[in-house]
Amino acid sequence: MTVTTRLTVQFTALITLLLVIVLGAILVLFKIGADATTERDLRAASRLTSAQIAPGGIFVTVFRGDTVTTAAGQPSGLVDQETARRVLGGAGPVTRERVVGGRDYTTRTIRRDGVVVQVTAEDHRDEATLRRLASVLLLVGVAALGLAAVTAHVMARRAIVPMAEALAVQRRFVADASHELRSPLTLLSTRTQLLSRRRADVPADVAAGIDEMTRDTRALTRILDDLLIAADPRGTPPDGVVDLVAVAGPVVASMTSDDVAIVLSATADRVVVPGSAPAIERLLTALIANAVDYATTTVTVRIEAGRTATVHVIDDGPGFAPAMVRHAFEPFVTDRGAEDPGGHSGLGLAIAAEITHRHRGRIHIEAAAHGHVTLHLPG
């Protein structure tokens, strides 16, 4: 689903919800008003002293002793003798909802000056008006919804086009700048490696400087790679299947060194998830590289199979600073623990979060004090 379509659907859904609330409120208010009108008409009709059909289709029945007088044309069975006897015996005004002949009625019975007056109104008096109102509101709502959907689509396209153009310009700039920087960086890296081979022929302080130049060159190359991915982190769309164990093995092997050991374990020989193998490899590389940067001696990578595949990456370093936990996956955030190793671009975890989002997964810091990052990918 494109961004334009997603924005259109979201805006249309919001307008639909608002229309349902407004139209529902109108119908409820109309029904409340109609009920209040019926109650008022019943009270007014109960003041009559002769049997007749009152205005508004309300039937009046008068009880004088044993004589019951009904209005001409009143439906049979409408007289409520039992309630009339109760009111005549001293009960207060009684209002009842009744069904007579398959129709709904509201009856109010009251005693006045030794005479019992019973007024009855058919509840469907306002139903036709209510149905017409509901039909009109439905038609208006559908028309308004269609107009809102078209307007939302047009406005979303107008809003997205400048953003897309600006993003394309940014990506082209980063790609061009990275391309221009890669050549001198490659040349510089080659020269430092040549100098490293001759370190035995130079003083110790010069050899140390050469080593620092080599590390700085690698760090710059790594930052350049991160910038390229950050400029367009989408990469290959997740349209295949990936074995996390098979992908993690080479990544771990390439990063294991004499200074930091990486321990890889898995609960199954194969842990398969849908996605793009290059993207998943970059994701695991970013997580493990971040852990290696801060580890003291060991990084543990544990892969767990299940309906949702889980990857735990744990280092034994100083852990995440409490203030960083909420911002760890934002670009250019590097404050972790007591120190920040050199060559950190602050893009690794941000790239990991973007790739995870594209694969409909979740990533979070499990334990800040132990540098524990957990990744969940749907299986």
Side-chain angles (χ1 to χ4, degrees):
M1 182 181 293
T2 64
V3 176
T4 301
T5 303
R6 186 164 60 250
L7 289 175
T8 302
V9 170
Q10 291 174 349
F11 182 78
T12 304
L14 177 61
I15 294 299
T16 301
L17 178 61
L18 292 176
L19 283 175
V20 169
I21 293 174
V22 172
L23 298 183
I26 291 174
L27 293 176
V28 169
L29 291 175
F30 179 85
K31 185 65 169 62
I32 293 174
D35 292 342
T37 300
T38 298
E39 178 66 20
R40 186 174 60 252
D41 291 345
L42 287 173
R43 288 180 180 274
S46 64
R47 299 189 183 97
L48 299 174
T49 57
S50 60
Q52 58 181 292
I53 301 178
I58 295 179
F59 302 98
V60 180
T61 302
V62 178
F63 299 82
R64 285 187 176 88
D66 295 333
T67 304
V68 180
T69 307
T70 60
Q74 178 172 307
S76 60
L78 205 60
V79 178
D80 187 355
Q81 297 276 5
E82 180 182 352
T83 302
R85 284 194 295 268
R86 287 172 52 200
V87 172
L88 185 61
V94 177
T95 302
R96 291 184 59 193
E97 304 288 337
R98 305 167 58 213
V99 178
V100 179
R103 294 186 176 184
D104 296 325
Y105 292 90
T106 299
T107 299
R108 177 178 174 81
T109 307
I110 187 172
R111 180 182 179 184
R112 188 177 62 251
D113 299 329
V115 176
V116 174
V117 178
Q118 190 173 86
V119 291
T120 304
E122 190 171 359
D123 291 345
H124 81 282
R125 295 184 310 154
D126 299 310
E127 288 181 2
T129 303
L130 185 62
R131 285 195 295 269
R132 287 195 297 271
L133 177 62
S135 300
V136 172
L137 291 178
L138 181 60
L139 291 176
V140 172
V142 171
L145 189 60
L147 179 62
V150 173
T151 303
H153 182 72
V154 173
M155 297 302 294
R157 290 189 61 181
R158 290 183 178 180
I160 291 299
V161 168
M163 295 173 60
E165 292 177 350
L167 187 59
V169 171
Q170 174 190 343
R171 288 172 178 164
R172 284 196 299 270
F173 171 77
V174 174
D176 293 343
S178 300
H179 176 74
E180 294 298 325
L181 289 172
R182 188 174 294 278
S183 296
L185 272 177
T186 302
L187 183 59
L188 180 60
S189 177
T190 302
R191 289 176 177 174
T192 55
Q193 291 176 18
L194 290 175
L195 288 174
S196 296
R197 296 176 184 176
R198 301 178 56 186
R199 57 183 299 158
D201 301 332
V202 299
D205 57 341
V206 176
I210 293 174
D211 291 340
E212 292 177 358
M213 290 176 58
T214 302
R215 286 194 298 270
D216 292 342
T217 303
R218 291 175 180 171
L220 284 173
T221 302
R222 177 177 168 182
I223 292 174
L224 186 62
D225 292 336
D226 285 345
L227 285 173
L228 282 172
I229 297 175
D232 188 3
R234 295 171 299 175
T236 307
D239 57 356
V241 292
V242 183
D243 181 3
L244 293 177
V245 178
V247 172
V251 174
V252 168
S254 66
M255 293 188 181
T256 301
S257 65
D258 295 336
D259 297 328
V260 177
I262 305 178
V263 180
L264 174 63
S265 63
T267 60
D269 294 335
R270 285 172 53 85
V271 180
V272 178
V273 296
S276 163
I280 294 294
E281 180 181 358
R282 185 67 186 92
L283 167 59
L284 295 178
T285 299
L287 293 179
I288 297 173
N290 179 77
V292 169
D293 283 344
Y294 295 98
T296 302
T297 59
T298 307
V299 171
T300 301
V301 180
R302 186 170 69 251
I303 302 176
E304 299 173 355
R307 295 183 61 181
T308 298
T310 304
V311 180
H312 300 274
V313 180
I314 310 168
D315 66 73
D316 61 351
F320 291 89
M324 181 189 174
V325 173
R326 295 181 56 187
H327 309 285
F329 299 102
E330 297 177 4
F332 307 112
V333 176
T334 61
D335 181 21
R336 172 126 110 88
E339 61 181 82
D340 183 22
H344 225 259
S345 66
L347 290 171
L349 290 181
I351 292 171
E354 172 63 27
I355 297 174
T356 301
H357 176 72
R358 286 193 295 109
H359 286 75
R360 298 180 177 84
R362 295 181 293 110
I363 187 171
H364 62 277
I365 296 173
E366 188 78 26
H370 303 290
H372 184 172
V373 179
T374 301
L375 167 68
H376 302 278
L377 293 174

